[in-house]
Amino acid sequence: MSTTDALFERFKANLEAINGECSVAAKADAGKAVADIFRAKGLSTACVVESDFVKELGIVPALKDAGLEVFTDHIRLHAETAQGGVCEVQLGVADLGTVAQVGDEIDSRIVATMAEDFLGILKASTIVDDYDALFDAICALPEMPNFVGFVSGPSRTADIECVSTVGVHGPLRLNIVIIADA
């Protein structure tokens, strides 16, 4: 993927339209890119769910080298007080700037909803056009997952006296780092 790829550009534009942030990193630079985002936001603690891909990218060592306290075990104990959460997200929807968590891993759901800053790691090759393509991808899996969750920017509601409020539930800020396939 290059940063001029049409799916990426549409995904990025739609994510930013809902107050999310998006960046691209090569595999070799992913750990540094994530650490730079956390450092720029002044974050000092993070819960990281170490999927095989997140381990391959070296996210945890990069965050530790940047001076962050990183929790990879007992996510439930630390997620509420950790400032940031990091995990792999499985699919991106270009038309909406939405990412999808697909699978049975509970810790990924926790870090995506508990920390004030959520950073999702997304493979460029997993960005699809629209919801139809997303559901086609999910239906093509060898086994239907027990959980599919959608993350679309910071949460917002106008339920309370019709006053728009951001961050009532879920993260206040959403960052997606797209890993260029190479």
Side-chain angles (χ1 to χ4, degrees), residues 6 47 86 94 108 136 150 163 178:
C47 285
V86 179
S108 293
D136 288 345
F150 302 99
V163 175
I178 297 175

Side-chain angles (χ1 to χ4, degrees), residues 34 38 46-55 57 59-60 63 71 75 84-91 99-102 105-113 115 117-123 147 149 151 174-179:
V34 170
F38 274 63
C47 285
V48 180
V49 178
E50 289 191 289
S51 65
D52 290 340
F53 189 57
V54 169
K55 285 179 184 177
L57 298 175
I59 302 298
V60 170
L63 289 172
F71 304 101
I75 297 292
V86 179
C87 72
E88 179 181 358
V89 290
Q90 287 68 41
L91 294 163
V99 293
Q101 293 181 303
V102 179
E105 219 296 310
I106 186 99
D107 285 344
S108 293
R109 288 185 257 171
I110 291 171
V111 301
T113 56
D117 283 82
F118 171 59
L119 191 145
I121 307 290
L122 178 67
K123 295 176 186 173
F147 176 80
V151 182
L174 171 65
N175 286 271
I176 301 299
V177 175
I178 297 175
I179 307 304

Side-chain angles (χ1 to χ4, degrees), residues 128-153:
V128 298
D129 262 333
D130 52 28
Y131 266 138
D132 287 340
L134 173 116
F135 289 115
D136 288 345
I138 293 169
C139 289
L141 293 172
E143 187 174 322
M144 188 60 68
N146 289 321
F147 176 80
V148 176
F150 302 99
V151 182
S152 299

Side-chain angles (χ1 to χ4, degrees), residues 7 10-15 92-98 127-132:
L7 278 178
R10 210 162 76 233
F11 176 85
K12 183 179 189 309
N14 288 325
L15 177 64
V93 182
D95 274 356
L96 302 169
T98 294
I127 300 174
V128 298
D129 262 333
D130 52 28
Y131 266 138
D132 287 340

Side-chain angles (χ1 to χ4, degrees), residues 39 56 101 106 167 181:
R39 193 176 311 125
E56 178 185 338
Q101 293 181 303
I106 186 99
D181 299 311

